[in-house]
Amino acid sequence: MTTTMPTTWTKDAIFEALGLTDMNSGVSDGAFFPHPGGPELVSEIPATGERLASVQQGDDADYDAMMATATKAFETWRMMPAPLRGEIVRQLGDAFRQHKEPLGALISLEMGKIYSEGLGEVQEMIDICDFAVGLSRQLYGLSMHSERPGHRMYEQWHPLGPVAVISAFNFPMAVWAWNAMLAAVCGDVTVWKPSSKVPLCAVAVQKITDEIMARHALKGIFTLIVGRGKDVGERINNDPRIPLISFTGSGRMGRHVGECAAKRFGRTILELGGNNAIIVMDDANLDLALRAIAFGAAGTAGQRCTTTRRLFLQKGIAKQLLERLVKAYGTLPMGDPLEPGTLIGPLIDAGAVKDFEAAVARAVDEGGTVLAGGKAVAGPGHFVQPTIIHCPKQLAITCEETFAPILYVMEFDQLDEAIEVHNAVPQGLSSAIFTTNLLSAERFLGPNGSDCGIANVNIGTSGAEIGGAFGGEKETGGGRESGSDAWKAYMRRQTCTINHSTSLPLAQGVKFDI
Ligand code: UN1
């Protein structure tokens, strides 16, 4: 892995490296549509509030044209041997490697996360490509022993169809890649509707993808449509040609997507809100805990689904760790995310700043005490101070996800009590405990421990590797993406029983002789 650290990127240099212009088409079925029919969408730089560039969105007719190519492409793509599909994904991974730096810089510019995290996000794309290449030779089905003589039984996995990927602003490239690369080796084609807050990231990735696919004379395997939720999103939700929608975003929207898909018996992979917590025991290594909490809670300006939003401190170390944490928060460099040395970038937009302010006000109203930060920073840009709020107990606000760097801190005596409060929120994505005691760690990991999809010991809640299945329980939506056997969601399972005898015995000993 080669990572040359910044050279500060300028907008012009990023645009040149990625072939972007001031006005970009937002629809591609393998080749960008010259004149999509939807309204112009202006993308902004969250660090300054300035206009970045425009994207021409797709309309109904563009959607239909793109879907026609995608459904046709599925007919041939599903027949290609999976390892050959994997070979094409390998080439995509190489192309992302070659463009890692400008892609990482574009994420920083358009989404606002710091450059190192932008590079990290592109690395997640590269990693999932590598993972998918290996997977293309490992789409295993089980074989079973039939109860009937002369019969063989096994299961096989077939491609599912066009898969929609509706991605959120905070991971404008990686979440698409987790889904699209798995879907591709599984024999599916993907239709990508990115967040309208970060359309250029999607356009840049699609350009690179189109170029590789064109080398193989392939169109429609990866398609893109930038468009409004209320038209393009609704078309996807209600399109019976799309058997699976992978949606990342708010619980409110996720519920709607799930309902629409369920009505037509479509499947969903939902990755919705998190309300992730770290529990720190008296016996913990506090140096490790401190770094993990700071990165988890303030990193990405609190805009990861996996961001640490609640902190439970055992009473013996609470005062000491809090003091260190407040001190560390005071030194976190905030500013231009592309500037080397910055650790805290902006929030995505003015609405996010308002949500931050409202959450802080509510927390104080409900009995919390602000120990660090608590205020929005005067413009330009959408910056807020990383914030620590001490809470006497779990409050109504601490049961909600606010996409901002607010950490709610609570104290406890016994681990059992901490786990109970930890689990008493609607969301269930990521969780962590810091302890050097095996019993405490295993209590946290046990069936009556953390109820989240991700449970860590001595590492924070965010920054998961792609090799594990990613997702969470309860109102987080239950979906799993990325590693492990998450690929199974992108395929249909077929159970096959083959009779190679000359008689027809029925299962369960049933007799039906004619
Ligand atoms: C998200 O915030 O939607 O575990 C995804 C992490 C990243 C992915 C976050 N690998 O923090």
Side-chain angles (χ1 to χ4, degrees):
M1 187 189 315
T2 50
T3 304
T4 327
M5 281 305 274
T7 70
T8 306
W9 282 93
T10 61
K11 172 185 153 182
D12 288 348
I14 296 169
F15 275 33
E16 198 188 317
L18 297 171
L20 298 169
T21 59
D22 196 54
M23 170 60 87
N24 304 271
S25 164
V27 185
S28 170
D29 64 356
F32 276 88
F33 290 18
H35 303 293
E40 179 182 338
L41 174 67
V42 178
S43 174
E44 286 178 0
I45 302 171
T48 60
E50 287 164 357
R51 174 179 180 279
L52 177 56
S54 287
V55 171
Q56 200 67 47
Q57 300 184 93
D59 64 4
D60 246 26
D62 297 317
Y63 179 80
D64 287 328
M66 182 204 64
M67 273 306 287
T69 319
T71 45
K72 193 155 158 271
F74 177 61
E75 306 293 321
T76 45
W77 186 244
R78 68 176 166 184
M79 299 309 289
M80 188 186 278
L84 297 190
R85 296 193 293 250
E87 166 54 22
I88 294 174
V89 168
R90 189 187 64 72
Q91 293 173 23
L92 283 172
D94 279 351
F96 298 144
R97 261 188 190 89
Q98 279 158 18
H99 294 87
K100 179 172 174 179
E101 297 195 0
L103 286 175
L106 178 62
I107 294 174
S108 261
L109 188 66
E110 192 181 34
M111 181 274 162
K113 66 177 73 172
I114 61 170
Y115 183 47
S116 165
E117 290 189 54
L119 291 174
E121 173 160 359
V122 183
Q123 188 58 46
E124 282 203 41
M125 298 175 78
I126 297 166
D127 291 343
I128 198 71
C129 288
D130 289 352
F131 181 90
V133 176
L135 187 63
S136 70
R137 292 179 187 271
Q138 300 176 76
L139 301 169
Y140 302 137
L142 296 171
S143 69
M144 301 90 180
H145 287 264
S146 170
E147 66 187 56
R148 288 169 280 187
H151 283 55
R152 183 165 76 81
M153 190 156 67
Y154 76 106
E155 66 184 16
Q156 58 180 354
W157 294 85
H158 283 314
L160 195 60
V163 172
V165 181
I166 304 180
S167 55
F169 79 86
N170 64 334
F171 274 78
M173 296 185 190
V175 168
W176 166 79
W178 295 352
N179 287 279
M181 296 306 120
L182 290 199
V185 296
C186 289
D188 302 330
V189 301
T190 43
V191 174
W192 183 11
K193 188 191 129 22
S195 158
S196 300
K197 295 176 180 173
V198 283
L200 286 179
C201 284
V203 168
V205 167
Q206 183 73 23
K207 272 189 197 291
I208 295 169
T209 306
D210 284 355
E211 211 177 290
I212 300 299
M213 300 311 280
R215 281 189 209 156
H216 299 275
L218 286 166
K219 261 187 101 178
I221 314 299
F222 303 100
T223 60
L224 169 72
I225 182 155
V226 179
R228 291 182 301 197
K230 68 177 161 56
D231 37 54
V232 172
E234 287 307 304
R235 289 293 306 271
I236 291 174
N237 290 346
N238 299 302
D239 193 335
R241 291 169 296 183
I242 298 181
L244 172 67
I245 303 174
S246 177
F247 173 87
T248 307
S250 71
R252 191 179 56 81
M253 278 311 300
R255 198 182 293 274
H256 175 65
V257 171
E259 280 170 8
C260 292
K263 255 186 213 146
R264 58 177 178 84
F265 297 106
R267 295 189 208 160
T268 49
I269 297 174
L270 299 177
E271 212 261 274
L272 314 175
N275 191 350
N276 320 295
I278 294 180
I279 296 175
V280 186
M281 303 297 292
D282 283 345
D283 56 50
N285 178 330
L286 296 187
D287 295 336
L288 296 193
L290 184 73
R291 278 192 53 218
I293 297 162
F295 174 64
T300 334
Q303 298 172 106
R304 291 192 190 220
C305 299
T306 52
T307 289
T308 309
R309 308 207 179 276
R310 295 175 300 146
L311 178 63
F312 296 101
L313 301 178
Q314 200 166 20
K315 284 200 172 128
I317 49 87
K319 190 164 175 286
Q320 179 197 354
L321 187 58
L322 254 181
E323 271 170 20
R324 288 180 67 183
L325 198 59
V326 169
K327 198 159 160 237
Y329 264 51
T331 65
L332 294 173
M334 184 190 290
D336 179 352
L338 275 164
E339 199 61 51
T342 300
L343 291 181
I344 309 295
L347 293 185
I348 187 69
D349 57 19
V353 176
K354 275 211 178 75
D355 291 346
F356 162 86
E357 287 177 317
V360 172
R362 260 186 68 195
V364 171
D365 207 44
E366 290 175 17
T369 310
V370 177
L371 301 183
K375 295 221 161 26
V377 178
H382 310 299
F383 291 89
V384 300
Q385 296 171 333
T387 297
I388 301 174
I389 301 181
H390 190 273
C391 305
K393 59 179 177 31
Q394 185 128 283
L395 309 171
I397 188 73
T398 68
C399 296
E400 290 179 22
E401 178 191 53
T402 304
F403 237 50
I406 306 174
L407 180 66
Y408 302 112
V409 185
M410 289 163 251
E411 296 179 28
F412 68 93
D413 287 307
Q414 298 299 322
L415 179 55
D416 284 356
E417 170 202 331
I419 289 176
E420 196 183 317
V421 185
H422 172 277
N423 289 346
V425 291
Q427 313 82 352
L429 180 53
S430 186
S431 60
I433 188 168
F434 278 77
T435 180
T436 51
N437 181 310
L438 178 70
L439 274 60
S440 300
E442 290 293 337
R443 167 75 181 86
F444 180 73
L445 297 173
N448 59 351
S450 162
D451 63 0
C452 293
I454 297 171
N456 297 329
V457 176
N458 293 330
I459 65 164
T461 58
S462 64
E465 302 174 21
I466 60 95
F470 183 87
E473 304 300 334
K474 301 192 289 185
E475 290 191 9
T476 301
R480 291 296 185 278
E481 297 168 324
S482 200
S484 185
D485 64 353
W487 62 270
K488 289 180 175 170
Y490 303 81
M491 302 197 84
R492 62 184 170 87
R493 185 198 310 243
Q494 189 168 61
T495 304
C496 308
T497 310
I498 298 157
N499 178 4
H500 54 87
S501 76
T502 52
S503 59
L504 191 73
L506 300 179
Q508 297 91 38
V510 171
K511 295 280 174 242
F512 197 87
D513 293 326
I514 52 167

